[in-house]
Amino acid sequence: MPELPEVESLAAFLRGHATGHVVARADAASFSVLKTFDPPLTSLSGQMITEVGRHGKFLDIVTDQGLHLIMHLARAGWLRWRDELPTAPPKPGKSPLAFRLRLDDGSGFDLTEQGTHKRLAVYLVRDPAEVPGVATLGPDPLAADFTADTLASLLAGRRMQVKGVLRDQRIIAGIGNAYSDEVLHAAKMSPFKIAASMTPDDVATLYNAIKTTLREAVERSAGLAAADLKGEKKSGLRVHARAGQACPVCGDTIKEVSFADSSLQYCPTCQTGGKPLADRRLSRLLK
Ligand SMILES: [Zn+2]
């Protein structure tokens, strides 16, 4: 799933390629991908793109008439830019193509989604706050006003494991399963540490890990074409999706444990004092 660094880079890519262009047409390949009906998608035609922004993991294309085309790529979605888009509008069916935006010079992009669980979502609104997932977003960790005090106030009193806090879009915007693993590895912190139990030193360490990990990921992907971002994300990850491999910091074997609806990866030596985390799903089954 694209997270903050990839969405930030996609926004920068689109800013460079689409800003100043007029939308020729926008087409959704299925009823389910478009989550709004007023204004209609056809109203985008003829509007000029003036800005491309990001809210958490949402992309936001802004037009000169004040419309926002907001896109959430979900778990298996991606944006594919083409200098020459096919002229035929997308056909509904089993193809991964979910949405197509065509610009005045014939360039544009496709949103695609692999798999059978279709979660990719597109919204056309007058105000980003009309999108429920945007309205409830927590603060952006890359924003200048996201300070160590901001993080401390988000963690204070929360009886939640830090892994869950980092992933919760309503608490902090833009970090998902992959970068929460990376942040916690950089912070040398157990994913199961309870937020409310953190000392000021823990908070400062976590804060620096969040800023550094996300900034480095954004820098690595800056200037890459949209098509190359996915590969860059994978190669830049140190622990996420690397169970069984050697930790690049200490050489210990990266381990995996189930968490919520998926799993997390961590280094026992770097993060949990050498002890493997108990797989609660497994121990529950054994009881
Ligand atoms: Zn390690």
Side-chain angles (χ1 to χ4, degrees):
M1 172 193 262
E3 299 179 23
L4 186 155
E6 293 76 43
V7 179
E8 181 74 26
S9 302
L10 284 172
F13 180 90
L14 286 177
R15 213 171 285 138
H17 286 72
T19 304
H21 282 283
V22 171
V23 176
R25 62 181 294 159
D27 291 286
S30 72
F31 290 114
S32 62
V33 68
L34 186 66
K35 306 300 179 192
T36 53
F37 58 90
D38 177 35
L41 211 46
T42 49
S43 64
L44 261 183
S45 302
Q47 299 205 21
M48 184 190 282
I49 295 171
T50 54
E51 168 58 10
V52 183
R54 176 183 64 78
H55 313 277
K57 302 181 206 167
F58 292 82
L59 271 171
D60 181 1
I61 293 182
V62 190
T63 72
D64 58 342
Q65 291 172 52
L67 291 188
H68 294 258
L69 180 70
I70 295 187
M71 299 166 284
H72 189 266
L73 296 174
R75 195 162 284 197
W78 200 251
L79 182 148
R80 183 175 172 206
W81 176 266
R82 299 213 230 175
D83 292 329
E84 294 276 349
L85 268 185
T87 44
K91 286 197 197 97
K94 285 184 182 163
S95 134
L97 180 57
F99 185 86
R100 175 169 284 167
L101 187 89
R102 188 180 171 78
L103 302 177
D104 49 5
D105 64 350
S107 69
F109 63 82
D110 286 340
L111 300 183
T112 58
E113 187 174 32
Q114 302 298 332
T116 47
H117 274 292
K118 299 299 185 192
R119 300 258 183 80
L120 188 149
V122 176
Y123 310 79
L124 185 62
V125 291
R126 297 178 183 87
D127 179 349
E130 290 173 51
V131 177
V134 173
T136 55
L137 280 177
D140 193 286
L142 282 191
D145 61 359
F146 188 95
T147 64
D149 286 343
T150 313
L151 181 64
S153 67
L154 295 172
L155 298 169
R158 225 180 264 279
R159 304 291 312 165
M160 251 176 102
Q161 292 167 330
V162 61
K163 168 78 180 176
V165 171
L166 291 177
R167 266 182 36 156
D168 190 331
Q169 300 304 297
R170 293 161 300 178
I171 302 175
I172 300 172
I175 301 175
N177 201 27
Y179 285 100
S180 54
D181 282 351
E182 297 299 303
V183 163
L184 291 166
H185 180 255
K188 297 193 183 301
M189 190 175 280
S190 167
F192 288 175
K193 193 175 184 71
I194 300 297
S197 76
M198 286 196 197
T199 65
D201 276 355
D202 292 334
V203 175
T205 301
L206 182 61
Y207 176 77
N208 290 329
I210 291 173
K211 287 276 189 185
T212 307
T213 302
L214 296 179
R215 272 194 201 129
E216 285 178 359
V218 169
E219 277 164 20
R220 277 199 310 271
S221 49
L224 286 180
D228 299 327
L229 285 169
K230 257 192 209 171
E232 175 46 48
K233 177 182 176 186
K234 271 197 190 131
S235 66
L237 300 175
R238 292 176 169 187
V239 284
H240 183 73
R242 293 191 183 275
Q245 299 181 29
C247 168
V249 172
C250 72
D252 192 5
T253 304
I254 294 164
K255 285 206 158 33
E256 177 169 87
V257 68
S258 64
F259 185 84
D261 55 346
S262 57
S263 57
L264 67 81
Q265 289 82 38
Y266 68 102
C267 170
T269 295
C270 289
Q271 296 176 254
T272 57
K275 291 184 202 124
L277 293 169
D279 198 319
R280 300 199 306 173
R281 198 172 296 171
L282 193 63
S283 52
R284 215 177 293 146
L285 284 174
L286 293 173
K287 265 175 203 165

